[in-house]
Amino acid sequence: MTQRQDEKFQGFPVVHRRAAGIDVGNASHWVAVPPDVSDSAVREFGTFTVDLQAIADWLIRCGVTTVAMESTGVYWIPLFELLESRGLKVCLVDTRRLKSVPGRKSDYQDCQWLQKLHTFGLLSSAFRPDDQVVKLRSYLRHRAMLIRYASHHIQHMQKALQQMNVKLSNAISDITGTTGLAIIRAILGGERDPQKLATLRDPRCRNDAQTIAKSLEGHWREDHLFELAQSLDLYETYRQKTQQCDLEIERCLGEFPDVSDGQPLPPQKGHGHRNAPTFDARTHLYRICGVDLTAIDGIEANTALKLLGEIGTDIRRWPTAKHFCSWLGVCPKQKKSGGKVLSSRSRSSGNRAAAALRMAVQSLEHSASALGAFYRRMKARLGAPGAITATAHRLARVIYALLRYGQPYVDQGQEAYEKQYQQRTLENLERRARKLGFRLSPAIAPAPT
């Protein structure tokens, strides 16, 4: 740091006297320590494991107690975990919130700037759950990737069938269901008779065998059949890997402590999603959280599991529900100047927990619950995107209250919500009328003629 840059911090109280800063990279890590603890305040290290061990040894020899580093790609993860295991407190800083070095930028100056800002307590640490939750989160994110890749091969199967003019997707809603997979396997086994293929129809299928047989008349080219066979094989491979991942997730959930006090789980409502875990995730979630998150309208076991993997089990990491909603990015972000609100749009965020809540909101379109009524009212007022964010905000506050206070969720219902909204609207109108010197009175019904 130059003398001119050091002058900017004159008068600031020192918060972390033994603080270090690390500029993380793929090929090298630049580490800065206080100038009074080492002859060389800035050193460059490699990124191999032996180099990471050397970084930790040097920091401990210098008496460093806390370290600030940028969350650059995935390069920070091995160093972060190693430094934490060696007893150092690591402050992971979001690169978007970190002001860059004034003047000419370099890795040498970046680590010094991080060290200086952290010394005076000017950096806020990004949220990272406990190590046990981090393991669960890794499994869940990997599982989501497997499901996404499996969906690509479903599209490849649909493409191969369409190229052969086999309109199977027009006759059944899901070609990877019982009927669809049975017919595709029979086609790849050499069967070409539409009537025989239609006999593989599941009794629960809506269309009759004649309609399905009509959709199975096509021309069977070898190249398209080869593409169909490979796509089916890859789809089944990914489904098998997903089931293996479910076993690891269930094992990981079994390691969490039981906070349910042995209370029985309330009866389940609704049906599970087709991509839901193969094990009873709802029972595990109730045992870990102590409350039934699936009782909330729009939240099913798979969504609750994603939320747990992203936010962890200790909701007290956020002091209030407002802090929690702000971290999710589902609350308005007001920009004011001169007392005038310039913008109140919610900030753009790649938060996976917020994305799960937004997906859950879309299932409330026809719900007869209070949340469903709120979503429909917001949709008429703000449009679909704004209504999804507003309802996700309300869902986040409900989830925070359940996890913080441990009380079960009770839906007041659509009618009670509409009545409450009508009463609140009437009170607002009466207050505005009194402010203008008027008084509201109920309309008198005309006398019958």
Side-chain angles (χ1 to χ4, degrees):
M1 300 290 289
T2 64
Q3 183 179 359
R4 185 176 180 181
Q5 291 170 351
D6 280 336
E7 291 176 355
K8 296 181 178 181
F9 296 99
Q10 290 182 0
F12 278 79
V14 176
V15 178
H16 306 293
R17 189 169 299 276
R18 297 291 185 178
I22 303 179
D23 182 70
V24 178
N26 179 30
S28 64
H29 300 322
W30 288 83
V31 186
V33 297
D36 58 341
V37 301
S38 178
D39 296 335
S40 57
V42 179
R43 290 180 58 182
E44 182 183 10
F45 294 85
T47 57
F48 297 113
T49 302
V50 64
D51 300 315
L52 303 188
Q53 295 284 357
I55 293 176
D57 294 338
W58 185 56
L59 292 176
I60 293 175
R61 284 199 306 269
C62 293
V64 170
T65 58
T66 178
V67 181
M69 67 170 64
E70 291 180 306
S71 56
T72 306
V74 296
Y75 307 129
W76 61 271
I77 296 178
L79 182 59
F80 181 96
E81 295 175 349
L82 176 63
L83 294 179
E84 270 201 336
S85 65
R86 297 291 293 272
L88 295 172
K89 183 179 179 182
V90 186
C91 176
L92 184 65
V93 184
D94 190 348
T95 55
R96 294 174 299 180
R97 299 184 180 182
L98 180 65
K99 187 177 181 181
S100 60
V101 181
R104 184 173 296 175
K105 176 177 168 57
S106 66
D107 296 336
Y108 185 91
Q109 291 177 315
D110 272 351
C111 63
Q112 286 184 302
W113 185 248
L114 277 168
Q115 189 272 332
K116 188 66 68 174
L117 291 177
H118 194 39
T119 299
F120 296 104
L122 298 177
L123 298 178
S124 58
S125 179
F127 170 74
R128 179 175 170 86
D130 298 333
D131 186 65
Q132 192 176 22
V133 180
V134 171
K135 293 179 182 178
L136 175 63
R137 184 177 66 180
S138 299
Y139 287 128
L140 291 172
R141 291 182 177 181
H142 180 69
R143 184 182 188 275
M145 180 195 69
L146 293 175
I147 292 176
R148 185 169 63 252
Y149 288 171
S151 67
H152 293 167
H153 296 295
I154 295 176
Q155 295 173 341
H156 297 161
M157 287 190 287
Q158 292 173 336
K159 174 189 172 184
L161 291 171
Q162 289 290 344
Q163 288 174 329
M164 294 184 292
N165 203 38
V166 177
K167 301 291 186 178
L168 183 60
S169 58
N170 291 2
I172 60 177
S173 59
D174 182 14
I175 65 170
T176 59
T178 304
T179 301
L181 288 179
I183 292 176
I184 291 175
R185 291 192 183 102
I187 291 174
L188 296 176
E191 184 60 58
R192 299 291 182 266
D193 188 354
Q195 299 298 331
K196 293 183 178 179
L197 291 173
T199 59
L200 300 174
R201 165 186 174 274
D202 189 90
R204 296 169 295 179
C205 191
R206 293 183 178 179
N207 288 326
D208 55 15
Q210 184 179 359
T211 303
I212 295 177
K214 187 177 179 180
S215 69
L216 295 174
E217 295 180 1
H219 53 89
W220 313 98
R221 285 175 57 101
E222 293 182 359
D223 51 342
H224 300 327
L225 289 171
F226 177 78
E227 180 182 354
L228 179 64
Q230 293 242 311
S231 300
L232 176 63
D233 185 51
L234 288 170
Y235 168 77
E236 292 179 335
T237 299
Y238 278 112
R239 294 301 296 180
Q240 181 183 4
K241 299 301 181 183
T242 303
Q243 294 176 2
Q244 295 175 2
C245 188
D246 286 343
L247 296 177
E248 290 298 317
I249 294 174
E250 185 176 16
R251 181 190 60 79
C252 185
L253 289 172
E255 298 175 355
F256 282 79
D258 187 356
V259 297
S260 62
D261 296 330
Q263 297 295 326
L265 183 64
Q268 185 177 10
K269 64 171 186 178
H271 301 283
H273 193 267
R274 60 164 299 175
N275 288 326
T278 54
F279 59 91
D280 187 5
R282 184 168 172 264
T283 301
H284 284 285
L285 290 168
Y286 184 74
R287 181 182 58 82
I288 294 171
C289 301
V291 291
D292 184 18
L293 293 177
T294 60
I296 306 173
D297 297 279
I299 303 294
E300 41 92 22
N302 198 22
T303 304
L305 194 59
K306 291 179 182 178
L307 291 173
L308 178 66
E310 296 298 328
I311 67 178
T313 57
D314 187 11
I315 200 67
R316 292 174 295 180
R317 297 281 292 272
W318 296 273
T320 64
K322 293 182 179 180
H323 290 83
F324 181 57
C325 295
S326 177
W327 175 78
L328 290 171
V330 295
C331 61
K333 182 183 179 181
Q334 287 193 351
K335 297 181 181 179
K336 291 185 178 181
S337 179
K340 181 180 179 180
V341 178
L342 302 179
S343 173
S344 60
R345 296 174 62 90
S346 59
R347 62 179 177 87
S348 58
S349 172
N351 194 300
R352 296 172 187 257
L357 289 178
R358 287 188 170 95
M359 288 295 294
V361 167
Q362 299 182 39
S363 65
L364 298 173
E365 178 73 34
H366 304 289
S367 175
S369 61
L371 286 170
F374 175 80
Y375 170 71
R376 289 187 290 272
R377 183 170 67 86
M378 289 292 103
K379 186 176 181 180
R381 174 184 168 188
L382 304 174
I388 290 174
T389 301
T391 312
H393 183 192
R394 175 158 292 198
L395 267 178
R397 299 180 73 93
V398 171
I399 292 172
Y400 182 89
L402 261 66
L403 294 177
R404 183 65 184 269
Y405 305 108
Q407 298 178 352
Y409 175 75
V410 179
D411 178 36
Q412 61 177 336
Q414 178 179 350
E415 294 183 1
Y417 171 81
E418 296 290 354
K419 185 177 181 181
Q420 182 184 20
Y421 173 70
Q422 183 180 5
Q423 182 64 27
R424 187 166 61 248
T425 303
L426 181 60
E427 292 175 357
N428 291 336
L429 291 174
E430 290 177 345
R431 184 171 60 254
R432 294 177 62 184
R434 287 195 302 267
K435 187 176 180 179
L436 296 174
F438 295 94
R439 184 179 63 183
L440 294 181
S441 60
I444 301 176
T449 58

